[in-house]
Amino acid sequence: MSVENHAADDAATAFASHDHSTCRAQALQAADDLAAAQGVRLTPVRRRTLEILLETHRALGAYEVLERLGAEGFGSQPPVAYRALDFLVQHGLAHRVQRLNAFAACLSPGHDHAPAFLICRACNKVAEADAPEIRSALRAAAVGVGFSVERMTVEALGLCDACAAAERPE
Amino acid sequence: MSVENHAADDAATAFASHDHSTCRAQALQAADDLAAAQGVRLTPVRRRTLEILLETHRALGAYEVLERLGAEGFGSQPPVAYRALDFLVQHGLAHRVQRLNAFAACLSPGHDHAPAFLICRACNKVAEADAPEIRSALRAAAVGVGFSVERMTVEALGLCDACAAAERPE
DNA sequence: CAGACATGAGTTATCTCATAACATTACGGT
DNA sequence: ACCGTAATGTTATGAGATAACTCATGTCTG
Ligand SMILES: [Zn+2]
Ligand SMILES: [Zn+2]
Ligand SMILES: [Zn+2]
Ligand SMILES: [Zn+2]
């Protein structure tokens, strides 16, 4: 397998040890591109918020982000964080993880997607898994009962291989 | 199609007009059976909580349930509701809807399942859709990246046919 | 039956997550 | 320079969830 960085690889890399600076750089580049392409303004708070999310593959709570922002001279009240995070989510630069009431940077922004999330309950890392079959299966089940799907949430809680190995000899 | 009441029918019925007393009676019967079968105690608060959830196909917030309980002479503090709800979820008599931070009675309890939910954003009704293909697809995607799934959340937000029809001539 | 133990129900207090409402500042077009 | 809009900031409050403790009730044992 090559060393390319497709979306499909994200899930694999998130839990494995890897050169994370690439993750960060790529996502930030994509964000800058998007801002330039569409007239969107990736302001300092917004960009910094994205950088904070990109520091880890864990999902961060809004208040966790806020604390960081406040410490760096930005506003220190909840709406500051929520607005920046909402912006990122809105523009596909971050995702909200329902299960954790938390946010994670998107690692393959630009190609509009709503991935499934794999959440390790031990290390708290989150991986995006692009699984179109899941989405189409759900959509199919929905039309069968007269329901039109607009947005969907697919999240799995479990153990990544690393944590599974670490837990076994408990 | 016959008038049987399988799990597969639930999704269809939830959004359609139907004889809801059957939903209620069936679910309560199943709950009583389960309590009798396993040594589990379906105490007054717990049973009443289930009844409250069963009044509607909407998902109710814990505080909504609590208000009802309190008004009927049960405890009026959050833990009362949360404990009863946790019990019901634990024993498969209710589900938690992540997207809404709310709870809905299970309409086909007993046969241990973790269904997908269809949530109408207009009427707020929630339907369970048993869709095994979704679960297996997600599980498959997970093993591919070294992740073992323990629990999964599949929820779709959208419009039921009735609400779609009502919304069109806006 | 008394005592010991477990489970459930109730309370108060507190915590985390999220948004409403409004004042202030920065930006872009004319 | 001027104005309108978008972004940032603030205070205050709403909504969801849990910790920690007390009390009642039921069950098992001797
Ligand atoms: Zn990385
Ligand atoms: Zn892990
Ligand atoms: Zn019904
Ligand atoms: Zn509806």
Side-chain angles (χ1 to χ4, degrees):
Chain A
M1 191 182 282
S2 81
V3 201
E4 303 172 81
N5 246 301
H6 289 142
D9 298 339
D10 290 347
T13 46
F15 294 126
S17 82
H18 62 284
D19 178 15
H20 185 60
S21 62
T22 316
C23 300
R24 222 178 329 171
Q26 267 196 337
L28 272 176
Q29 186 57 53
D32 288 333
D33 291 355
L34 173 134
Q38 318 176 202
V40 221
R41 292 175 55 194
L42 191 59
T43 62
V45 221
R46 292 170 176 174
R47 193 166 202 282
R48 188 74 194 106
T49 300
L50 180 56
E51 288 173 3
I52 291 170
L53 290 182
L54 279 170
E55 285 175 8
T56 170
H57 284 283
R58 287 178 44 237
L60 302 182
Y63 280 70
E64 249 174 305
V65 170
L66 176 60
E67 199 172 322
R68 297 285 309 275
L69 290 175
E72 297 176 19
F74 294 101
S76 58
Q77 301 306 316
V80 172
Y82 280 102
R83 282 198 282 240
L85 290 166
D86 286 350
F87 171 88
L88 295 176
V89 169
Q90 210 74 38
H91 292 81
L93 299 170
H95 300 288
R96 178 180 199 119
V97 183
Q98 300 281 348
R99 189 101 193 186
L100 304 175
N101 292 328
F103 301 83
C106 174
L107 294 179
S108 52
H111 75 96
D112 171 39
H113 63 154
F117 291 99
L118 307 176
I119 308 164
C120 177
R121 63 166 164 77
C123 65
N124 280 303
K125 284 182 191 161
V126 172
E128 300 180 32
D130 246 335
E133 328 83 49
I134 302 177
R135 306 176 60 69
S136 56
L138 178 49
R139 206 172 290 273
V143 297
V145 301
F147 185 90
S148 71
V149 176
E150 292 172 352
R151 317 189 57 80
M152 55 183 85
T153 304
V154 180
E155 298 176 357
L157 196 65
L159 273 188
C160 73
D161 274 358
C163 292
E167 199 177 64
R168 230 175 322 261
E170 185 168 311
Chain B
M1 187 182 284
S2 82
V3 200
E4 305 172 77
N5 245 301
H6 290 141
D9 297 338
D10 290 347
T13 47
F15 293 126
S17 82
H18 62 284
D19 177 15
H20 185 61
S21 62
T22 317
C23 299
R24 222 179 328 172
Q26 268 197 337
L28 273 175
Q29 187 57 54
D32 288 333
D33 291 355
L34 173 135
Q38 318 176 200
V40 204
R41 293 175 51 195
L42 191 59
T43 63
V45 221
R46 291 170 178 174
R47 192 165 202 283
R48 189 72 195 108
T49 300
L50 180 55
E51 288 173 3
I52 290 171
L53 290 183
L54 279 170
E55 285 175 9
T56 169
H57 284 284
R58 285 179 44 237
L60 301 183
Y63 280 69
E64 247 173 307
V65 171
L66 176 60
E67 199 171 322
R68 296 286 309 274
L69 290 175
E72 298 176 17
F74 294 103
S76 59
Q77 301 306 317
V80 171
Y82 279 104
R83 283 198 283 240
L85 290 166
D86 285 350
F87 171 88
L88 295 176
V89 170
Q90 210 75 38
H91 293 81
L93 299 171
H95 299 287
R96 178 183 198 116
V97 183
Q98 299 283 346
R99 189 100 192 187
L100 304 175
N101 292 328
F103 300 83
C106 175
L107 294 180
S108 52
H111 76 96
D112 171 40
H113 64 154
F117 291 100
L118 306 178
I119 308 163
C120 178
R121 63 166 164 79
C123 64
N124 280 302
K125 286 185 189 159
V126 172
E128 301 182 31
D130 245 336
E133 329 82 50
I134 301 177
R135 306 175 59 70
S136 57
L138 179 48
R139 207 173 289 275
V143 297
V145 301
F147 185 90
S148 70
V149 176
E150 294 172 351
R151 316 190 57 78
M152 56 183 85
T153 304
V154 180
E155 298 176 356
L157 195 67
L159 273 189
C160 74
D161 274 0
C163 291
E167 198 176 65
R168 228 175 323 261
E170 183 169 314

PDB file of all heavy atoms in Angstrom, chain B residues 15 120 122-123 160 163, ligand 4:
ATOM      1  N   PHE B  15     -44.821   6.618  12.574  1.00  0.00           N
ATOM      2  CA  PHE B  15     -45.135   7.886  11.916  1.00  0.00           C
ATOM      3  C   PHE B  15     -46.568   7.910  11.390  1.00  0.00           C
ATOM      4  O   PHE B  15     -47.123   8.975  11.145  1.00  0.00           O
ATOM      5  CB  PHE B  15     -44.168   8.143  10.766  1.00  0.00           C
ATOM      6  CG  PHE B  15     -42.769   8.374  11.218  1.00  0.00           C
ATOM      7  CD1 PHE B  15     -41.712   7.623  10.711  1.00  0.00           C
ATOM      8  CD2 PHE B  15     -42.481   9.343  12.178  1.00  0.00           C
ATOM      9  CE1 PHE B  15     -40.418   7.842  11.125  1.00  0.00           C
ATOM     10  CE2 PHE B  15     -41.185   9.556  12.607  1.00  0.00           C
ATOM     11  CZ  PHE B  15     -40.150   8.804  12.082  1.00  0.00           C
ATOM     12  N   CYS B 120     -37.933  12.436  13.171  1.00  0.00           N
ATOM     13  CA  CYS B 120     -38.535  13.488  12.361  1.00  0.00           C
ATOM     14  C   CYS B 120     -38.299  14.837  13.024  1.00  0.00           C
ATOM     15  O   CYS B 120     -38.691  15.042  14.173  1.00  0.00           O
ATOM     16  CB  CYS B 120     -40.025  13.264  12.167  1.00  0.00           C
ATOM     17  SG  CYS B 120     -40.784  14.602  11.221  1.00  0.00           S
ATOM     18  N   ALA B 122     -39.640  17.566  12.415  1.00  0.00           N
ATOM     19  CA  ALA B 122     -40.830  18.404  12.469  1.00  0.00           C
ATOM     20  C   ALA B 122     -41.769  17.961  13.592  1.00  0.00           C
ATOM     21  O   ALA B 122     -42.145  18.763  14.441  1.00  0.00           O
ATOM     22  CB  ALA B 122     -41.550  18.374  11.131  1.00  0.00           C
ATOM     23  N   CYS B 123     -42.134  16.682  13.621  1.00  0.00           N
ATOM     24  CA  CYS B 123     -43.087  16.238  14.637  1.00  0.00           C
ATOM     25  C   CYS B 123     -42.369  15.599  15.817  1.00  0.00           C
ATOM     26  O   CYS B 123     -42.996  15.237  16.808  1.00  0.00           O
ATOM     27  CB  CYS B 123     -44.088  15.255  14.049  1.00  0.00           C
ATOM     28  SG  CYS B 123     -43.385  13.708  13.469  1.00  0.00           S
ATOM     29  N   CYS B 160     -40.615  12.762   8.270  1.00  0.00           N
ATOM     30  CA  CYS B 160     -41.533  11.670   7.975  1.00  0.00           C
ATOM     31  C   CYS B 160     -42.473  12.139   6.862  1.00  0.00           C
ATOM     32  O   CYS B 160     -42.604  13.338   6.626  1.00  0.00           O
ATOM     33  CB  CYS B 160     -42.311  11.260   9.221  1.00  0.00           C
ATOM     34  SG  CYS B 160     -43.598  12.400   9.725  1.00  0.00           S
ATOM     35  N   CYS B 163     -45.083  14.868   7.737  1.00  0.00           N
ATOM     36  CA  CYS B 163     -44.544  16.211   7.913  1.00  0.00           C
ATOM     37  C   CYS B 163     -44.008  16.772   6.602  1.00  0.00           C
ATOM     38  O   CYS B 163     -44.076  17.984   6.369  1.00  0.00           O
ATOM     39  CB  CYS B 163     -43.458  16.203   8.966  1.00  0.00           C
ATOM     40  SG  CYS B 163     -44.116  15.881  10.616  1.00  0.00           S
TER      41      CYS B 163
HETATM   42 ZN    ZN E   4     -42.922  14.035  11.348  1.00  0.00          ZN
END
